[in-house]
Amino acid sequence: MSDSSVNNFDDITARLDEIVSKVRSKDTSLERSLDLFDEAIELGSRAVDMVDSFELTPREADQLEQEYESDNEDSNS
């Protein structure tokens, strides 16, 4: 998967997983690891931008709030 084919959050996380595997490989040179690191930084920035621009519908926001309140009640018990 190339950087140009990474267009959604799932693609970004999949590509980041690939990068981690490649960097951990002893066969990957330092230069290649640094290139992969640069790509990972760019992908991470893109993922943050996606999360920051994501908007919930009012129904989704209410559901998320109810789940959060329920989780907090369970942990306080």
Side-chain angles (χ1 to χ4, degrees), residues 15 17-25 28 32-33 36:
R15 179 62 184 144
D17 287 341
E18 290 175 7
I19 290 172
V20 168
S21 295
K22 288 181 181 181
V23 169
R24 286 184 175 166
S25 170
T28 305
R32 178 68 179 139
S33 292
L36 290 167

Side-chain angles (χ1 to χ4, degrees), residues 27-43:
D27 296 331
T28 305
S29 69
L30 178 59
E31 183 177 349
R32 178 68 179 139
S33 292
L34 292 173
D35 290 341
L36 290 167
F37 177 76
D38 288 340
E39 181 184 348
I41 295 295
E42 182 181 327
L43 290 169

